[in-house]
Amino acid sequence: MNVKSYIQNAIQTTLKEILPEQNQGFDIDLTAPKQKDHGDLATNIALVLGSQSGRNPRQLASEIVNGMDLDPELVARVDIAGPGFINFTFSDSILYEGLKEIVLQQEAYGTADWGGNKKTQIEFVSANPTGPLTIGHGRQAVLGDTVARLLEATGHDVTREYYFNDAGRQMRVLADSVRLRYLEQLGMSVEFPDDYYQGDYIRDIARELAQRKGASLQDEAFKDDACFRESAEKAIFDDIRSTLERMGIHFDVYYNEKSLYETGKIDAVIKELRKRGLAYDQDGAVWLKATDLGLDQDRVIVKSTGEPTYRLPDLAYHRDKIDRGFDIIIDIFGADHIATYPDVLAGMRALGYDDSRVRVLIHQFVTLTEGREKIKMSTRKANFVTLDELMDEVGVDVTRYFFLNRSASAHLNFDLTLAKTQSDENPVYYIQYAHARICSILRHAEEQGYDTDLVGDPTLLTSEEELELIKILLDFPRVVSSAAEHLEPHRLPTYLENVATTYHRFQHAGKVDETLRVVSSNRETTQARLDLCRATRIVLANGLDILGISRPERM
RNA sequence: GCCCCAGUAGCUCAGUGGAUAGAGCAGCGGUUUCCUAAACCGUUGGUCGCAGGUUCAACUCCUGCCUGGGGUACCA
């Protein structure tokens, strides 16, 4: 099954004979070369050891090659190339066995169980209910959800959680923004401050309130009535939830920061920190002694006004995550929160918790442009493009793909004009089209009387296009696992584009050369090629599922 | 000032210390009586921000600098 470790062992054994003076184990790097005429796996071991021991790398390489006794059923060729690389080329029988395996495993192909069913919590979006989700939130939403899907595919027990705060200054301003718009609805003239929420959605909420409550709230006595805040929060949260559902994102838990106060978990943290001598009072505020925890300055956790800063509830929340029994805790933050997590981690260590369970994934911001014009996004100033507007324009699949196709650590340049005008050129269609094309060919084959569930003889697949396709399909499990392990979803779209290209090339070969057509007059090769089509469909379908993107059977 | 991220083709971006740095889009030129032309093939396009260093080997690691973004609050 695992040719790689087989080869690794063979090299190891041979090296012990050739270089007995180095009796410790060798660290053998064995990776797939970029260029296909360099074989399927290559090692630089002769270069590394050659320079260490002062020997000629090419000569050392040839000693290693001559000393190895590899099964020709597994490895067809071994070459020495360039300055001393050793290139291994697999025998085709490995590919044929692998292909059968894909067709047998179906939906399970690519999944893994190394997650060990570990309880994994992933927190993301976590936008406070002050306005609709924007393109800025979209990146985090899609990133978090896809990391969750990757972890599920690799055997983790995942909980998606949305943390929010519906108290504090932000919400008071929001409530008062609604109140002023409400008064406007009643025909009163009001002065609407610049730093209040300018968005039209506030007017909508106010209009609805005016219809429901009439003029009953117009008196100054109702200035701080909870009604304004509550109606705003409900309307905005309903909107956020429906946007998320539309994107295929479902949260298991919505966690209200307020509950940390109500259950006494905030006080408990302060008490515990004081007990450990890691919190102290100064200038009327409570400080976390972060300098004792390896950070460069102490931080205020309770302001002199008596209000906690964000660090305290964050700390209590993370403590709660561990207390709820999560083995792995993943936080997805935007770049603006980059400074907060060292404090949280330090606080957790201070409380005696193991902070290595926490993994933080930081993504850079989305810069929105319209043509050359840069748009500065702000919820307060109503200067934003909502996710719903984007999805109206380009659809869910393009939206998800757009955010996923780039590494989280890179800035994302979102050109609105380009997104609209080039939506048909988006690579997501390229991948989906490959899937649809396969479905079409399988339908066609069934009409010709082929049983598409029958497993044919894979050894009939010998063209370059066919072998290339099998090889790339066999990479799929490794790509899924490494994307999950590194929390890097963008590896998957990149891979799937390559699969689609390789498939299109394979099918196109039949247009040029009649004997390479999938459904041909030869029933045996047709059956084998249909298996290859099915295997490709399985990889594309499983990959698109992990990305949360639809896989159309017709386009 | 200090800290984090980024800088790769005209544009948007991939790239595991390795061999001749890739893709999509845009440009140019081809391919269809056919299982989907939403495809395929060819071609144009590069000082991998700049300068040093480590290494047999650097887009990749280290140092400094430049540019852009973010942080450095008793804001979140």
Side-chain angles (χ1 to χ4, degrees):
Chain A
M1 169 66 197
N2 194 336
V3 198
K4 187 172 172 178
S5 49
Y6 169 75
I7 296 174
Q8 239 157 358
N9 285 336
I11 300 172
Q12 197 77 253
T13 311
T14 311
L15 282 175
K16 277 181 189 150
E17 287 165 19
I18 299 174
L19 301 165
E21 65 275 14
Q22 300 198 30
N23 48 7
Q24 77 278 35
F26 299 94
D27 188 16
I28 299 167
D29 186 41
L30 200 57
T31 49
K34 284 179 198 160
Q35 274 177 257
K36 49 186 170 205
D37 51 317
H38 292 151
D40 296 306
L41 282 175
T43 182
N44 60 358
I45 190 72
L47 290 161
V48 174
L49 293 179
S51 72
Q52 276 173 19
S53 58
R55 301 177 59 164
N56 181 312
R58 275 195 73 105
Q59 199 189 327
L60 190 57
S62 86
E63 282 181 48
I64 294 169
V65 171
N66 290 332
M68 278 190 300
D69 183 22
L70 293 169
D71 184 352
E73 281 294 301
L74 299 175
V75 180
R77 261 178 50 203
V78 184
D79 301 297
I80 298 166
F85 293 103
I86 305 174
N87 297 333
F88 301 88
T89 305
F90 295 163
S91 84
D92 292 345
S93 65
I94 287 183
L95 305 182
Y96 298 143
E97 286 309 308
L99 179 63
K100 277 190 200 165
E101 194 63 23
I102 298 173
V103 175
L104 290 174
Q105 288 195 25
Q106 308 222 29
E107 298 85 45
Y109 183 64
T111 62
D113 56 10
W114 54 263
N117 215 29
K118 279 191 185 133
K119 277 193 75 177
T120 304
Q121 192 239 29
I122 170 160
E123 181 214 326
F124 59 110
V125 185
S126 295
N128 290 335
T130 58
L133 293 182
T134 66
I135 288 182
H137 298 117
R139 182 174 202 184
Q140 181 162 137
V142 173
L143 186 61
D145 184 58
T146 307
V147 167
R149 286 166 189 257
L150 277 167
L151 293 174
E152 284 167 341
T154 49
H156 298 77
D157 175 15
V158 178
T159 299
R160 291 168 176 78
E161 194 155 317
Y162 187 122
Y163 176 72
F164 69 99
N165 172 11
D166 62 355
R169 199 186 109 77
Q170 248 185 339
M171 294 301 286
R172 286 198 296 275
V173 173
L174 180 77
D176 212 42
S177 302
V178 172
R179 189 181 65 89
L180 293 182
R181 293 298 188 209
Y182 163 80
L183 296 177
E184 275 182 354
Q185 282 293 314
L186 300 178
M188 300 170 66
S189 132
V190 298
E191 198 175 309
F192 199 85
D194 282 348
D195 60 345
Y196 271 33
Y197 288 87
Q198 308 287 330
D200 286 340
Y201 62 96
I202 300 289
R203 286 195 176 88
D204 297 337
I205 293 163
R207 191 175 306 121
E208 192 273 334
L209 196 61
Q211 278 161 11
R212 193 155 48 85
K213 296 273 189 176
S216 63
L217 300 167
Q218 68 172 306
D219 198 273
E220 192 68 14
F222 291 101
K223 189 173 186 302
D224 294 319
D225 196 275
C227 194
F228 295 111
R229 190 187 61 75
E230 282 165 9
S231 60
E233 179 175 343
K234 183 178 182 310
I236 292 169
F237 244 133
D238 284 349
D239 182 65
I240 287 175
R241 270 183 233 253
S242 86
T243 304
L244 290 169
E245 291 292 336
R246 188 177 172 192
M247 279 200 296
I249 301 173
H250 181 80
F251 281 91
D252 302 297
V253 178
Y254 282 82
Y255 197 106
N256 192 338
E257 182 186 316
K258 202 191 290 172
S259 68
L260 292 167
Y261 293 90
E262 292 165 353
T263 54
K265 285 171 183 158
I266 300 282
D267 288 338
V269 166
I270 300 178
K271 204 172 155 190
E272 185 69 25
L273 287 173
R274 284 191 197 277
K275 197 172 107 188
R276 291 170 183 258
L278 290 164
Y280 63 92
D281 296 279
Q282 187 183 301
D283 306 328
V286 183
W287 295 69
L288 173 69
K289 210 167 183 184
T291 46
D292 275 13
L293 301 162
L295 299 182
D296 55 357
Q297 57 180 309
D298 290 352
R299 303 287 186 176
V300 170
I301 52 175
V302 182
K303 299 185 231 173
S304 51
T305 59
E307 273 186 299
T309 65
Y310 64 90
R311 291 170 217 273
L312 183 54
D314 268 8
L315 185 48
Y317 178 43
H318 279 79
R319 183 190 201 191
D320 184 59
K321 291 182 185 188
I322 287 197
D323 288 343
R324 279 190 278 155
F326 289 108
D327 303 305
I328 301 171
I329 292 161
I330 297 172
D331 292 333
I332 305 209
F333 291 149
D336 54 338
H337 281 67
I338 201 157
T340 75
Y341 79 92
D343 296 340
V344 172
L345 295 185
M348 290 182 70
R349 287 195 300 275
L351 294 170
Y353 287 86
D354 174 14
D355 69 346
S356 71
R357 291 197 209 175
V358 181
R359 294 184 68 183
V360 179
L361 178 56
I362 303 276
H363 66 88
Q364 295 297 314
F365 277 170
V366 178
T367 312
L368 190 62
T369 54
E370 193 147 22
R372 283 197 189 152
E373 204 76 11
K374 193 176 258 186
I375 305 170
K376 195 83 183 163
M377 282 189 283
S378 150
T379 301
R380 191 68 68 88
K381 291 182 181 150
N383 206 355
F384 53 77
V385 177
T386 69
L387 271 177
D388 276 321
E389 286 162 353
L390 180 63
M391 286 189 281
D392 291 343
E393 203 73 49
V394 302
V396 178
D397 290 340
V398 171
T399 300
R400 282 193 73 114
Y401 197 85
F402 189 87
F403 288 124
L404 286 173
N405 196 21
R406 294 148 164 80
S407 78
S409 62
H411 296 269
L412 198 160
N413 214 329
F414 197 117
D415 186 335
L416 212 53
T417 316
L418 213 63
K420 290 173 188 173
T421 58
Q422 291 193 345
S423 61
D424 287 350
E425 316 279 351
N426 194 297
V428 71
Y429 293 120
Y430 182 76
I431 298 170
Q432 289 180 316
Y433 177 57
H435 183 271
R437 226 181 163 189
I438 295 170
C439 291
S440 166
I441 215 168
L442 293 175
R443 282 193 300 269
H444 173 79
E446 276 175 26
E447 283 163 17
Q448 304 288 313
Y450 283 93
D451 179 351
T452 51
D453 284 332
L454 200 81
V455 176
D457 176 9
T459 63
L460 297 171
L461 303 171
T462 54
S463 76
E464 196 185 326
E465 288 85 0
E466 289 160 348
L467 296 175
E468 283 305 306
L469 184 53
I470 298 172
K471 280 181 192 176
I472 195 168
L473 296 181
L474 293 178
D475 279 342
F476 184 57
R478 190 184 53 80
V479 173
V480 171
S481 278
S482 74
E485 190 186 338
H486 296 97
L487 307 181
E488 288 184 350
H490 78 276
R491 296 181 187 212
L492 197 47
T494 307
Y495 166 78
L496 291 177
E497 282 180 38
N498 285 332
V499 173
T501 299
T502 313
Y503 177 78
H504 284 310
R505 205 173 281 152
F506 155 72
Q507 184 169 340
H508 185 82
K511 288 198 172 205
V512 181
D513 180 348
E514 185 73 22
T515 64
L516 294 175
R517 280 173 70 86
V518 175
V519 180
S520 67
S521 51
N522 183 326
R523 291 195 75 84
E524 295 296 311
T525 54
T526 297
Q527 193 61 58
R529 284 174 189 155
L530 287 174
D531 286 340
L532 183 51
C533 290
R534 289 166 62 208
T536 310
R537 198 200 65 77
I538 288 166
V539 168
L540 291 173
N542 295 359
L544 287 170
D545 276 353
I546 290 172
L547 298 180
I549 291 172
S550 70
R551 36 186 170 91
E553 298 190 358
R554 297 170 199 274
M555 283 176 77

